[in-house]
Amino acid sequence: MSEPVQTPQTFPTRIFSGIQPSGGLTLGNYLGALKRFVQKQDEGIETIYCLVDMHAITVWQDPAKLRQQTREAAAGFIAAGIDPVRSILFNQSQVSAHVELAWIFNTVARMGWMSRMTQFKDKAGKNSENVSLGLFAYPALMAADILAYKATHVPVGEDQKQHIELTRDIAAKFNNDYGVNFFPITEPVIEGAATRVMSLRDGTKKMSKSDPSDQSRINLTDDADTIAKKFRKAKTDSEPLPSALDGLKDRPDARNLVNIYAALADMTPQAVIAEYAGAQFGTFKPALADLAVAKLSPITTKMSDLMQDPAEIDRILGEGAARADAIARPIVDQVYDIIGMIRSRH
Ligand code: AQP
């Protein structure tokens, strides 16, 4: 019988995060996640970014579209500033350590913990008997994505906070059950003015790539005219912008547009309000549209250039997967050892 593996008490800083290629990337994905992924990379931290295609199939995906969306998301990452040399960029299904560890975590996580996940409740709605088992188990796979790399920090939008808390619970229970200090207790990194970008049609609902209304979101593939039109038609009230942020407390649609402006301009929402105090939406919306076009169109153009060469995108993902596997494989092999699995095949 092998002894439990003893590991160091501290874990080097390592960032992991992912995005589902379950549709085109949205402004929410960009401001809540992607833009910050680039900042972390540029701070010189070790960064591992994953297109989580195994998560995407928890809701049925057309195979040809899934392939296209995965390549498009990879192009979006690179166009937004992810350098596949300085960061590791790959798609999840190419590194089997994720699903292997996820199965082990299915045996660590408790039914009660999983049943409290609000994203599952939101996505399953009244249809919980008919959604996939994978959708229910999704957060255990997410914990595996993170912990297969012993990632210490995960930049995410506000909506993923509960899943990171579950990841921490799984890591702590695993460490405790097996008497080891093997997994770090990962920190979520939720920062900036746009940790929760809301729908342009309903300021109380998250902007989402799977929302049936295309008007509800800005896609990273939208052209300048479409972006301008969508902001012009964005739901607002008829009041001018107030002179202090407090005045937006009960105005979710207006608050959303101010937050988007702030995040795009790298300003605080307070500074935006100070600049536009008293302005009507007839003035603010075109300014926001111009800013969004200025920030997003270089990304859109680069994305479409990169999409001309899908073989090159596949090559980048393959290379990233090999680098990811080199980190995750030994970690998952150690997990097998810790839990008592015989590993005698050579
Ligand atoms: N509206 C948002 N505001 C801020 N951050 C957001 N994120 C997603 N939407 C917003 C962040 O983007 C990262 C990747 O998310 P995901 O694609 O893995 O899953 P999701 O959160 O379920 O995103 P969607 O767009 O709503 O996808 P669908 O419609 O397929 O479920 C995460 O860090 C997330 O916080």
Side-chain angles (χ1 to χ4, degrees), residues 7 32 34 92 148 157 213 289 344:
T7 54
L34 195 44
Q92 187 185 25
S213 162
S344 54

Side-chain angles (χ1 to χ4, degrees), residues 85-244:
V85 175
R86 280 186 292 153
S87 292
I88 295 181
L89 176 64
F90 70 108
N91 60 310
Q92 187 185 25
S93 58
Q94 295 209 66
V95 180
S96 61
H98 292 239
V99 285
E100 293 175 49
L101 190 57
W103 178 258
I104 294 165
F105 286 170
N106 282 344
T107 70
V108 175
R110 305 290 92 182
M111 286 297 285
W113 301 356
M114 304 296 279
S115 307
R116 283 192 282 278
M117 294 296 111
T118 53
Q119 181 168 298
F120 175 76
K121 289 187 208 163
D122 290 348
K123 286 199 173 175
K126 293 192 179 78
N127 200 24
S128 64
E129 290 293 309
N130 286 320
V131 295
S132 73
L133 177 58
L135 191 67
F136 186 72
Y138 181 115
L141 176 58
M142 182 166 158
D145 299 335
I146 296 164
L147 295 173
Y149 302 91
K150 296 191 178 180
T152 53
H153 295 83
V154 182
V156 278
E158 183 70 42
D159 60 318
Q160 292 296 332
K161 192 170 171 212
Q162 195 187 29
H163 287 167
I164 307 294
E165 279 159 10
L166 185 97
T167 299
R168 293 162 63 89
D169 289 341
I170 289 176
K173 182 161 167 36
F174 181 94
N175 287 347
N176 188 55
D177 285 353
Y178 293 100
V180 290
N181 182 26
F182 188 72
F183 287 122
I185 306 301
T186 305
E187 295 287 340
V189 185
I190 302 171
E191 323 163 307
T195 55
R196 193 169 172 82
V197 177
M198 309 309 271
S199 157
L200 300 181
R201 308 303 305 155
D202 176 354
T204 63
K205 233 173 89 186
K206 190 184 82 152
M207 181 182 286
S208 180
K209 53 175 110 69
S210 58
D211 191 312
S213 162
D214 191 59
Q215 296 302 313
S216 71
R217 63 178 163 265
I218 303 291
N219 305 299
L220 286 197
T221 48
D222 285 344
D223 60 25
D225 275 358
T226 311
I227 292 176
K229 248 185 234 144
K230 284 180 176 175
F231 277 123
R232 220 172 29 242
K233 287 197 177 154
K235 189 171 162 240
T236 41
D237 47 46
S238 52
E239 300 292 311
L241 284 172
S243 52

